[in-house]
Amino acid sequence: ERSAVAGCIFNASPEDPDNMVNGNIGSPNYGKPMGTLSEMSSDVLNFALFARLTAPPTPATPTDSTINGSNLFNSIGCALCHSSTLTTGTSSYTGMSNVAYHPYSDFALHHMGASLADGINQGGAGPDQFRTAPLWGLGQRLFFLHDGRTTDLLQAIQMHTGSGRYCAQSASVQLFSVLTTNKVFEPASKNQACGSEANQVINNFNGLQPTQQQDMLNFLRSL
């Protein structure tokens, strides 16, 4: 999973190494490229390289409405998770190290409550946890939320709430044995989360005037 640390993004997940060289150890060709990068790469890797070097979405020209919406986005707490600006770490690609960019995400996991829970455990994410979705390019999307369940942006915002009466519980068990004593141990742990971390933010949003809510929607669609 990814997490945000000191404004930089780190991927703590293991990655398969890319074999960009051919030749056996001890052979004259060992360690030497045997073709172009594209020729030696898989289609998946080539696709990843293309995506990595693609420019981010270009936001629309600001208006009075979207500027006000941006200020409200920050003041009611949306930016606590949908961070507007992060900084890249060290990159092997020219011009991509220590660069400020604007994904509107912290790339961290958050408990989102029963409305969005899908009951799936994936990596370190529990049944009601999701990585904060980047909002850049949102104005070009037709479907919202992790499963594309709605085309209504206002509905997508409201579904970030989750009643504290509904809780998600995850459990894990480790099994290990001591062969010399024939002892078996099964240490278990349980975690429970109730409601959504975004509840207060959505309450703040619902407390806005209709014109202010519209300004926020206009801002989001401009990203």
Side-chain angles (χ1 to χ4, degrees):
E1 300 299 332
R2 294 183 175 184
S3 60
V5 180
C8 297
I9 300 303
F10 300 92
N11 182 6
S13 301
E15 301 286 0
D16 292 332
D18 303 320
N19 182 17
M20 296 305 179
V21 295
N22 287 333
N24 296 321
I25 296 177
S27 73
N29 292 325
Y30 176 69
K32 295 181 180 179
M34 300 297 290
T36 66
L37 181 65
S38 179
E39 290 170 342
M40 293 187 297
S41 302
S42 67
D43 290 340
V44 172
L45 181 57
N46 285 332
F47 180 83
L49 289 170
F50 166 77
R52 182 177 288 113
L53 300 175
T54 300
T58 302
T61 302
T63 65
D64 290 342
S65 175
T66 61
I67 291 173
N68 185 48
S70 176
N71 292 332
L72 291 167
F73 182 87
N74 294 324
S75 65
I76 69 171
C78 298
L80 294 174
C81 296
H82 291 282
S83 305
S84 62
T85 303
L86 297 176
T87 304
T88 63
T90 302
S91 173
S92 58
Y93 297 92
T94 302
M96 295 181 68
S97 296
N98 305 312
V99 175
Y101 64 109
H102 311 287
Y104 289 89
S105 172
D106 60 4
F107 296 102
L109 290 176
H110 297 279
H111 292 283
M112 299 309 301
S115 296
L116 294 181
D118 57 10
I120 297 174
N121 289 320
Q122 185 176 30
D128 72 329
Q129 286 182 297
F130 298 93
R131 185 198 68 169
T132 305
L135 298 182
W136 58 2
L138 183 143
Q140 302 172 33
R141 301 177 198 169
L142 297 177
F143 303 98
F144 306 114
L145 300 177
H146 65 280
D147 53 5
R149 70 180 63 177
T150 181
T151 59
D152 186 330
L153 183 54
L154 183 59
Q155 184 181 48
I157 293 173
Q158 296 293 352
M159 295 196 75
H160 281 59
T161 60
S163 171
R165 295 181 298 166
Y166 300 99
C167 303
Q169 185 178 84
S170 58
S172 62
V173 177
Q174 292 179 316
L175 174 65
F176 66 94
S177 60
V178 182
L179 298 179
T180 56
T181 61
N182 292 320
K183 291 183 178 180
V184 177
F185 301 89
E186 294 185 52
S189 62
K190 291 184 179 181
N191 295 293
Q192 179 173 281
C194 302
S196 168
E197 294 181 36
N199 279 346
Q200 184 56 55
V201 177
I202 304 305
N203 288 340
N204 294 340
F205 176 81
N206 291 334
L208 297 175
Q209 297 297 319
T211 55
Q212 293 176 309
Q213 292 185 1
Q214 186 60 55
D215 285 345
M216 272 195 61
L217 294 176
N218 292 342
F219 162 67
L220 292 171
R221 293 189 179 108
S222 75
L223 295 177

